């Protein structure tokens, strides 16, 4: 089972956000400067959907949010044009998650943008293995900073998928709220209220997951994309990734054999795939082991095929699918 390192208990969620003060990694000019958009709105550029969701939920009518990763694009593979890099420098605030998208990291560094919010500084990142059955010592010894496919997971091999843990996502939301208040103090009270409202929703979501996954026939789930390490750790589950970081890479025959054995041993019923990547490997494993397939969405983007219209709805769909697959009582 994944090593459980509770840095901030869910029960203390409402008051556990001291890291929010670090939200602006760089800032110039007076803190009282007004929003710079022609319509008087704060111009916020988000790197991909989870950051967009936070900006929209907290900023509401006071912000204009654009996202670098369009719906249907796999965020890890995003390429940034010179024009987009130039446009970044004109934003009032850029909200991104360093180490998830190398192209965005490079563009932010080149853009000269002043107000930068790196979500990775707003919570504690951890290293996670693709296999929940590996020992902690073995996992820490792996060279897991970047896969052969080039998907960087940080200098120390940290897992960037923090938004899939409602508690950690709430920590990030708190920091984003503080950043918007600082960038646009005229509307600070509204940002504060909207942040509090969002934190309440995320606290509720955490409670739903905790209750919904407390009593299941199995604790192991198999997925194409090893994005659910934080979620598994938070709720006492074992994540088994087919292809590791890259959901479309081909797993080795040895890995497929291991997964077949794990599925039999741990009473696994379902192999999960995602909407933004091929389901080929998931279906192959399911066919070879006589298992079912279903969707577990890493929420890197919302499309017409997503099982919900926003972060909260898709997370609840994930919970429903996990409960069914794990035999929740």
């Amino acid at each position: 089972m994944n090593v459980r390192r509770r840095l901030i208990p869910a029960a203390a969620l409402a008051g556990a956000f001291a890291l929010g003060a670090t939200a602006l990694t760089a800032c110039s000019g007076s803190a009282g400067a007004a929003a710079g958009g022609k319509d008087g709105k704060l111009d916020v550029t988000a790197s991909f959907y989870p950051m967009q969701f936070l900006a929209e939920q907290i900023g509401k009518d006071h912000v204009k949010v654009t996202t670098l990763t369009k719906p249907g694009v796999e965020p890890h593979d995003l390429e940034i044009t010179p024009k987009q890099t130039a446009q970044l420098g004109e934003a009032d605030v850029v909200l991104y998650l360093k180490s998830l998208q190398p192209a965005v990291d490079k563009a932010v560094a080149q853009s000269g943008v002043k107000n930068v919010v790196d979500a990775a500084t707003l919570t504690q990142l951890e290293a996670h293995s693709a296999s929940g059955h590996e020992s902690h010592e073995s996992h820490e010894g792996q060279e897991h900073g970047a896969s052969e496919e080039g998907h960087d997971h940080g200098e120390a091999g940290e897992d960037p998928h923090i938004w899939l843990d409602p508690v950690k996502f709430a920590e990030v939301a708190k920091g984003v709220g503080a950043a918007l208040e600082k960038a646009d103090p005229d509307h600070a009270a509204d940002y504060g209220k909207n942040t509090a409202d969002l934190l309440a929703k995320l606290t509720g979501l955490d409670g739903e997951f905790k209750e919904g996954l407390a009593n299941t026939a199995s604790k192991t789930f198999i997925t194409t994309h090893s994005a659910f390490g934080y979620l598994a750790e938070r709720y006492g589950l074992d994540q088994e990734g087919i292809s590791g970081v890259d959901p479309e890479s081909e797993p080795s025959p040895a890995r497929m054999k291991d997964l077949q054995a794990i599925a039999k041993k741990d009473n696994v019923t379902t192999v999960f795939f995602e909407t933004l990547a091929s389901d080929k490997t998931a279906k192959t494993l399911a066919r070879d082991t006589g298992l079912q397939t279903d969707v577990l969405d890493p929420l890197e983007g919302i499309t017409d095929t997503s099982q919900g219209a926003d972060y909260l709805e898709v997370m609840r769909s994930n919970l429903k699918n996990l409960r069914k697959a794990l035999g929740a009582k």
Side-chain angles (χ1 to χ4, degrees), residues 115-129:
N115 293 346
V116 178
V117 184
D118 175 11
T121 68
L122 303 176
T123 188
Q124 182 68 49
L125 270 64
E126 302 170 8
H128 292 126
S129 171

Side-chain angles (χ1 to χ4, degrees), residues 21 25 59 67 73 85 94 96 99 127 129 131 140 145-146 151 158 169-170 193-194 197 207 225 275 322:
T25 60
T67 181
V73 175
T85 299
V94 171
Y96 81 125
S99 84
S129 171
S131 173
E140 291 292 347
H151 296 298
E158 294 97 345
F169 201 41
K193 179 183 181 301
N194 295 341
D197 290 344
H225 190 180
T275 55
L322 277 170

Side-chain angles (χ1 to χ4, degrees), residues 143-326:
E143 291 296 331
H144 198 58
S147 73
E148 292 180 359
E149 293 77 23
H151 296 298
D152 187 3
H153 268 203
E155 294 181 1
E158 294 97 345
D159 181 355
H161 299 90
I162 48 179
W163 64 92
L164 292 169
D165 175 351
V167 177
K168 283 191 173 293
F169 201 41
E171 295 170 28
V172 176
K174 180 69 174 182
V176 170
L180 295 184
E181 289 180 31
K182 189 171 183 179
D184 183 18
D186 288 346
H187 300 112
D190 288 341
Y191 295 137
K193 179 183 181 301
N194 295 341
T195 300
D197 290 344
L198 179 57
L199 295 183
K201 293 176 183 177
L202 293 173
T203 301
L205 183 65
D206 171 53
E208 291 174 36
F209 268 81
K210 185 179 298 182
E211 181 179 355
L213 298 173
N215 190 6
T216 58
S218 175
K219 295 295 183 182
T220 302
F221 64 94
I222 297 175
T223 177
T224 54
H225 190 180
S226 299
F228 300 91
Y230 291 108
L231 185 149
E233 181 176 321
R234 180 67 61 187
Y235 303 111
L237 306 178
D238 286 325
Q239 169 188 244
E240 292 291 341
I242 297 176
S243 306
V245 179
D246 183 355
E248 298 200 37
S249 66
E250 291 292 333
S252 68
R255 180 58 177 159
M256 293 292 277
K257 184 177 180 180
D258 286 344
L259 288 170
Q260 291 175 17
I262 290 169
K264 183 177 181 180
K265 175 179 179 292
D266 293 348
N267 299 316
V268 175
T269 65
T270 306
V271 179
F272 288 109
F273 64 93
E274 61 181 86
T275 55
L276 294 183
S278 171
D279 60 0
K280 178 181 176 181
T281 55
K283 287 186 174 180
T284 297
L285 178 62
R287 182 178 64 250
D288 292 344
T289 53
L291 303 180
Q292 305 173 34
T293 58
D294 206 345
V295 172
L296 194 61
D297 196 330
L299 263 161
E300 293 177 340
I302 296 288
T303 69
D304 291 341
T305 61
S306 298
Q307 295 184 349
D310 64 13
Y311 171 86
L312 295 169
E313 289 186 4
V314 175
M315 282 293 284
R316 289 190 173 100
S317 293
N318 281 344
L319 174 58
K320 178 182 178 181
N321 295 342
L322 277 170
R323 282 177 49 81
K324 179 181 177 182
L326 297 175

